[in-house]
Amino acid sequence: MPQTDAELSAFDRATAVTRTEGGGVRADLDPGWDVGNGVLNGGYLLGVVARAALLDSPHPHPVALSAGYLRATPGGPADLTVTAGPAGRTLAHSTVLLSSAAGPSLAVQVTAATLGTDRADYTVNPVPQLPGPDECVATRTSEGGPAVGLAQHLDTRLDPATAGWTVGRPADVRLLRAWIRLADGRDPDPLALLLFADALPPTAFAVGRPGWAPTVQLQVLVRGLPAPGWCVVESRSTEVAGGWSDEECRIWDSTGRLVAQARQLARVAR
């Protein structure tokens, strides 16, 4: 039985896409998923793009996305141009261009497949050991400024070991860890993992350098279907030079399985 709008979670409503009479795809981007100054979060936008890419895909899950952020994207109507690529029994490829009132703003290569819940055959990424969510630092606002829309839709609990910056004790390592889930209790799925992959503050916050660090390029790999419950997310930078910073992100589900990885290139906050 199909869900009604009232039964959908806030994330599902905000990332919904519809077909237009001309055969295109349109979204109404929710301005409430911003990261400040009306700029929408990159992971939220990937959720919208993935929904568009999956409309005609023979496979149900996004497994690899490579996104180029051309300009900041505001809320409001947006058109998504989906160009189908090769598709087979295992994978399906497509490209999606998202255009808003500001013009083309996001270009994404999407690979879809069918994910499972198998344990890893080999991994060097064990889940970090954090205190329980109730013993971590709850954060629903941006440091040093007003609440941003994204923070109101997420329940994020920072590991105290990487949250010194929230009480004026910055670290010397650009590393953040946290428990994370959607604030309305919706369980994670591959689309939510796209959001979580870009949900923590920039790692520069950890060393006491808050500010907007716009993402230029973001790659996300979804490795499996997450179990219900909290996810653990870890984000770290390994190189900052010439006004550019990298960030590597890993996400584990409530059973300790690695379910997503991401890597992005961002401008250093001014």
Coordinates of all heavy atoms in Angstrom, one line a residue, residues 121-177:
D121 N 34.3 -9.5 3.4 CA 35.3 -10.6 3.3 C 36.7 -10.1 3.8 O 37.5 -11.0 4.3 CB 35.4 -11.0 1.9 CG 34.1 -11.6 1.3 OD1 33.4 -12.3 2.1 OD2 33.8 -11.3 0.2
Y122 N 36.9 -8.8 3.8 CA 38.2 -8.3 4.2 C 38.0 -6.8 4.5 O 37.4 -6.1 3.7 CB 39.3 -8.4 3.1 CG 40.6 -7.7 3.4 CD1 41.5 -8.3 4.2 CD2 40.8 -6.5 2.8 CE1 42.7 -7.6 4.5 CE2 42.0 -5.8 3.0 CZ 43.0 -6.4 3.9 OH 44.1 -5.7 4.2
T123 N 38.5 -6.4 5.6 CA 38.4 -4.9 5.9 C 39.6 -4.5 6.8 O 40.1 -5.3 7.6 CB 37.1 -4.6 6.6 OG1 37.0 -3.2 6.9 CG2 36.9 -5.3 7.9
V124 N 40.0 -3.3 6.7 CA 41.0 -2.7 7.6 C 40.4 -1.5 8.3 O 41.1 -0.6 8.8 CB 42.3 -2.2 6.8 CG1 43.0 -3.5 6.3 CG2 42.0 -1.2 5.7
N125 N 39.0 -1.5 8.3 CA 38.3 -0.3 8.9 C 37.3 -0.8 9.9 O 36.1 -0.8 9.8 CB 37.5 0.4 7.7 CG 38.4 1.0 6.7 OD1 39.3 1.8 7.0 ND2 38.3 0.6 5.5
P126 N 37.9 -1.3 11.1 CA 36.9 -1.6 12.2 C 36.2 -0.4 12.7 O 36.7 0.7 12.6 CB 37.9 -2.2 13.3 CG 39.2 -1.5 13.0 CD 39.3 -1.4 11.5
V127 N 35.0 -0.6 13.2 CA 34.2 0.5 13.7 C 34.9 1.1 14.9 O 35.4 0.4 15.8 CB 32.8 0.0 14.1 CG1 32.8 -1.1 15.2 CG2 31.9 1.2 14.6
P128 N 35.0 2.4 15.0 CA 35.7 3.1 16.2 C 34.8 2.8 17.4 O 33.6 2.7 17.4 CB 35.6 4.6 15.8 CG 35.4 4.6 14.3 CD 34.6 3.4 14.0
Q129 N 35.5 2.8 18.5 CA 34.8 2.6 19.8 C 34.5 4.0 20.4 O 35.4 4.8 20.7 CB 35.7 1.8 20.8 CG 36.0 0.4 20.3 CD 34.7 -0.4 20.0 OE1 33.9 -0.5 20.9 NE2 34.6 -0.8 18.8
L130 N 33.2 4.3 20.5 CA 32.7 5.6 21.1 C 31.9 5.3 22.3 O 31.4 4.2 22.5 CB 31.8 6.3 20.1 CG 32.4 7.1 18.9 CD1 33.0 6.1 17.9 CD2 31.3 7.9 18.2
P131 N 31.8 6.3 23.2 CA 30.9 6.1 24.3 C 29.5 6.1 23.7 O 29.3 6.4 22.5 CB 31.0 7.4 25.1 CG 32.4 7.9 24.7 CD 32.6 7.5 23.3
G132 N 28.5 5.6 24.5 CA 27.1 5.5 24.0 C 26.6 6.9 23.6 O 27.1 7.9 24.0
P133 N 25.6 6.9 22.7 CA 25.0 8.2 22.3 C 24.6 9.1 23.4 O 24.9 10.3 23.3 CB 23.8 7.8 21.5 CG 24.1 6.4 21.0 CD 24.9 5.8 22.0
D134 N 24.1 8.6 24.5 CA 23.7 9.4 25.6 C 24.9 10.0 26.4 O 24.7 11.0 27.2 CB 22.8 8.7 26.6 CG 21.4 8.3 26.0 OD1 21.1 9.0 25.0 OD2 20.8 7.4 26.5
E135 N 26.1 9.5 26.1 CA 27.3 10.0 26.8 C 28.1 10.9 25.9 O 29.2 11.3 26.2 CB 28.1 8.8 27.3 CG 27.4 7.9 28.3 CD 28.0 6.5 28.4 OE1 29.3 6.5 28.5 OE2 27.3 5.5 28.3
C136 N 27.6 11.1 24.7 CA 28.3 12.0 23.7 C 27.7 13.4 23.7 O 26.7 13.7 24.4 CB 28.3 11.3 22.3 SG 29.3 9.8 22.2
V137 N 28.3 14.2 22.9 CA 27.9 15.7 22.9 C 26.8 15.9 21.8 O 27.1 15.8 20.6 CB 29.1 16.5 22.6 CG1 28.7 18.0 22.6 CG2 30.2 16.3 23.6
A138 N 25.6 16.1 22.3 CA 24.5 16.4 21.3 C 24.7 17.8 20.7 O 25.0 18.7 21.4 CB 23.2 16.3 22.0
T139 N 24.5 17.9 19.4 CA 24.7 19.2 18.8 C 23.6 19.4 17.7 O 23.4 18.5 16.9 CB 26.0 19.3 18.1 OG1 26.1 20.6 17.3 CG2 26.3 18.2 17.1
R140 N 22.8 20.5 17.9 CA 21.8 20.8 16.9 C 22.0 22.2 16.3 O 21.1 22.7 15.6 CB 20.4 20.7 17.6 CG 20.0 19.4 18.2 CD 19.9 18.3 17.1 NE 18.7 18.6 16.3 CZ 17.5 18.1 16.6 NH1 17.3 17.4 17.7 NH2 16.4 18.3 15.8
T141 N 23.1 22.8 16.6 CA 23.4 24.2 16.1 C 24.8 24.2 15.6 O 25.6 23.4 15.9 CB 23.3 25.2 17.2 OG1 24.3 25.0 18.2 CG2 21.9 25.2 17.8
S142 N 25.1 25.2 14.7 CA 26.5 25.4 14.3 C 27.2 26.2 15.3 O 26.7 27.1 15.9 CB 26.4 26.1 12.9 OG 25.8 27.4 13.0
E143 N 28.5 25.8 15.5 CA 29.3 26.5 16.4 C 29.5 28.0 16.1 O 29.9 28.3 15.0 CB 30.7 25.8 16.5 CG 31.7 26.4 17.4 CD 31.3 26.2 18.9 OE1 30.4 25.4 19.2 OE2 32.0 26.8 19.8
G144 N 29.2 28.8 17.1 CA 29.5 30.2 16.9 C 28.5 30.9 16.0 O 28.7 32.0 15.5
G145 N 27.3 30.3 15.8 CA 26.3 30.9 14.9 C 24.9 30.4 15.1 O 24.7 29.5 16.0
P146 N 23.9 30.8 14.4 CA 22.6 30.3 14.6 C 22.4 28.9 14.1 O 23.3 28.4 13.4 CB 21.8 31.3 13.8 CG 22.7 31.7 12.7 CD 24.0 31.8 13.3
A147 N 21.4 28.2 14.5 CA 21.1 26.9 14.0 C 20.9 26.9 12.5 O 20.4 27.8 11.9 CB 19.8 26.4 14.7
V148 N 21.5 25.8 11.9 CA 21.3 25.7 10.4 C 20.2 24.6 10.2 O 20.0 23.7 11.1 CB 22.6 25.3 9.7 CG1 23.6 26.4 9.9 CG2 23.2 24.0 10.2
G149 N 19.6 24.7 9.1 CA 18.5 23.7 8.8 C 18.9 22.3 8.9 O 18.2 21.5 9.5
L150 N 20.0 21.9 8.3 CA 20.4 20.5 8.3 C 20.5 20.0 9.7 O 20.1 18.8 10.0 CB 21.8 20.4 7.7 CG 22.4 19.0 7.6 CD1 21.6 18.1 6.7 CD2 23.9 19.0 7.2
A151 N 21.0 20.7 10.7 CA 21.2 20.3 12.0 C 19.9 20.0 12.7 O 19.9 19.1 13.7 CB 22.0 21.3 12.9
Q152 N 18.8 20.6 12.3 CA 17.5 20.3 12.9 C 16.9 19.0 12.4 O 16.0 18.5 13.1 CB 16.6 21.5 12.6 CG 17.1 22.9 12.9 CD 17.6 22.9 14.3 OE1 16.9 22.6 15.3 NE2 18.9 23.3 14.5
H153 N 17.4 18.5 11.3 CA 16.9 17.2 10.8 C 17.7 16.0 11.2 O 17.3 14.9 10.9 CB 16.8 17.3 9.2 CG 15.8 18.3 8.7 ND1 14.5 18.1 8.9 CD2 16.0 19.5 8.1 CE1 13.8 19.1 8.3 NE2 14.7 20.0 7.8
L154 N 18.8 16.2 11.8 CA 19.7 15.2 12.2 C 19.9 15.1 13.7 O 19.9 16.2 14.4 CB 21.1 15.3 11.6 CG 21.2 15.2 10.1 CD1 22.6 15.6 9.6 CD2 20.8 13.8 9.6
D155 N 20.0 13.9 14.3 CA 20.4 13.7 15.7 C 21.9 13.3 15.6 O 22.2 12.2 15.3 CB 19.5 12.7 16.3 CG 19.7 12.6 17.8 OD1 20.6 13.2 18.3 OD2 18.9 11.8 18.4
T156 N 22.8 14.2 16.0 CA 24.2 14.0 15.9 C 24.8 14.1 17.3 O 24.6 15.0 18.0 CB 24.9 15.0 15.0 OG1 24.2 15.0 13.7 CG2 26.3 14.7 14.8
R157 N 25.5 13.0 17.7 CA 26.2 13.0 19.0 C 27.7 12.8 18.9 O 28.2 11.8 18.5 CB 25.6 11.8 19.9 CG 24.1 11.7 19.9 CD 23.4 12.8 20.7 NE 21.9 12.6 20.7 CZ 21.3 11.9 21.6 NH1 21.9 11.2 22.5 NH2 19.9 11.8 21.5
L158 N 28.4 13.9 19.1 CA 29.8 13.9 18.8 C 30.6 13.1 19.9 O 30.3 13.3 21.1 CB 30.3 15.4 18.8 CG 29.9 16.2 17.7 CD1 30.2 17.7 17.9 CD2 30.5 15.8 16.3
D159 N 31.6 12.4 19.5 CA 32.5 11.7 20.4 C 33.2 12.7 21.2 O 33.8 13.6 20.7 CB 33.5 10.9 19.6 CG 34.5 10.1 20.4 OD1 34.4 10.2 21.7 OD2 35.3 9.4 19.8
P160 N 33.1 12.7 22.6 CA 33.8 13.7 23.4 C 35.3 13.8 23.0 O 35.9 14.9 23.2 CB 33.6 13.2 24.8 CG 32.3 12.4 24.8 CD 32.4 11.7 23.4
A161 N 35.9 12.7 22.6 CA 37.3 12.8 22.3 C 37.6 13.6 21.1 O 38.8 14.1 20.9 CB 37.8 11.3 22.0
T162 N 36.6 13.9 20.2 CA 36.8 14.8 19.1 C 35.9 16.0 19.1 O 35.7 16.7 18.1 CB 36.6 14.0 17.8 OG1 35.2 13.7 17.7 CG2 37.4 12.8 17.7
A163 N 35.4 16.3 20.3 CA 34.5 17.5 20.4 C 35.0 18.6 21.3 O 34.2 19.4 21.8 CB 33.1 17.0 21.0
G164 N 36.3 18.6 21.6 CA 36.8 19.6 22.4 C 36.6 21.0 21.9 O 36.4 22.0 22.7
W165 N 36.5 21.2 20.6 CA 36.2 22.5 20.0 C 34.9 23.1 20.4 O 34.7 24.3 20.3 CB 36.3 22.4 18.5 CG 35.4 21.4 17.9 CD1 35.6 20.0 17.7 CD2 34.1 21.6 17.4 NE1 34.5 19.4 17.2 CE2 33.6 20.3 16.9 CE3 33.3 22.7 17.2 CZ2 32.3 20.2 16.3 CZ3 32.0 22.6 16.6 CH2 31.5 21.4 16.2
T166 N 33.9 22.2 20.8 CA 32.6 22.8 21.2 C 32.7 23.5 22.6 O 31.8 24.2 22.9 CB 31.6 21.6 21.3 OG1 32.0 20.7 22.3 CG2 31.5 20.9 20.0
V167 N 33.8 23.3 23.3 CA 33.9 24.0 24.6 C 35.2 24.7 24.7 O 35.8 25.0 25.8 CB 33.8 22.9 25.8 CG1 32.4 22.4 25.9 CG2 34.9 21.8 25.6
G168 N 35.7 25.2 23.5 CA 36.9 26.0 23.5 C 38.2 25.3 23.7 O 39.2 25.9 24.0
R169 N 38.2 24.0 23.4 CA 39.5 23.2 23.6 C 39.8 22.5 22.2 O 39.6 21.3 22.1 CB 39.4 22.2 24.7 CG 39.3 22.9 26.1 CD 39.7 21.9 27.2 NE 38.8 20.8 27.2 CZ 37.7 20.7 27.9 NH1 37.3 21.7 28.6 NH2 36.9 19.6 27.9
P170 N 40.2 23.2 21.2 CA 40.4 22.6 19.9 C 41.6 21.6 20.0 O 42.5 21.7 20.8 CB 40.7 23.7 19.0 CG 41.2 24.8 19.9 CD 40.5 24.7 21.2
A171 N 41.5 20.6 19.1 CA 42.6 19.6 19.0 C 43.6 20.0 18.0 O 43.5 21.1 17.3 CB 41.9 18.3 18.6
D172 N 44.6 19.2 17.8 CA 45.6 19.5 16.7 C 45.5 18.5 15.6 O 46.3 18.5 14.7 CB 47.0 19.4 17.3 CG 47.4 18.1 18.0 OD1 46.5 17.2 18.0 OD2 48.5 18.0 18.5
V173 N 44.4 17.7 15.6 CA 44.1 16.7 14.5 C 42.8 17.0 13.9 O 41.8 17.2 14.7 CB 44.2 15.3 15.0 CG1 43.8 14.3 13.9 CG2 45.6 15.0 15.6
R174 N 42.7 17.1 12.6 CA 41.4 17.3 11.9 C 40.6 16.0 11.8 O 40.6 15.3 10.8 CB 41.6 17.9 10.6 CG 42.3 19.3 10.7 CD 42.5 20.0 9.3 NE 43.1 21.3 9.5 CZ 42.7 22.4 8.9 NH1 41.6 22.4 8.1 NH2 43.3 23.5 9.1
L175 N 39.9 15.7 12.9 CA 39.2 14.4 13.0 C 37.9 14.6 13.8 O 38.0 15.2 14.9 CB 40.1 13.4 13.8 CG 39.5 12.0 14.2 CD1 39.1 11.2 12.9 CD2 40.4 11.2 15.1
L176 N 36.8 14.1 13.3 CA 35.5 14.1 14.0 C 34.9 12.7 13.9 O 35.0 12.0 12.9 CB 34.6 15.1 13.3 CG 35.0 16.6 13.3 CD1 34.0 17.4 12.5 CD2 35.0 17.2 14.8
R177 N 34.3 12.4 15.1 CA 33.5 11.1 15.1 C 32.2 11.4 15.8 O 32.1 12.2 16.7 CB 34.2 10.0 15.9 CG 35.5 9.5 15.3 CD 35.9 8.2 16.0 NE 37.3 7.9 15.7 CZ 38.3 8.1 16.5 NH1 38.2 8.8 17.6 NH2 39.6 7.8 16.1

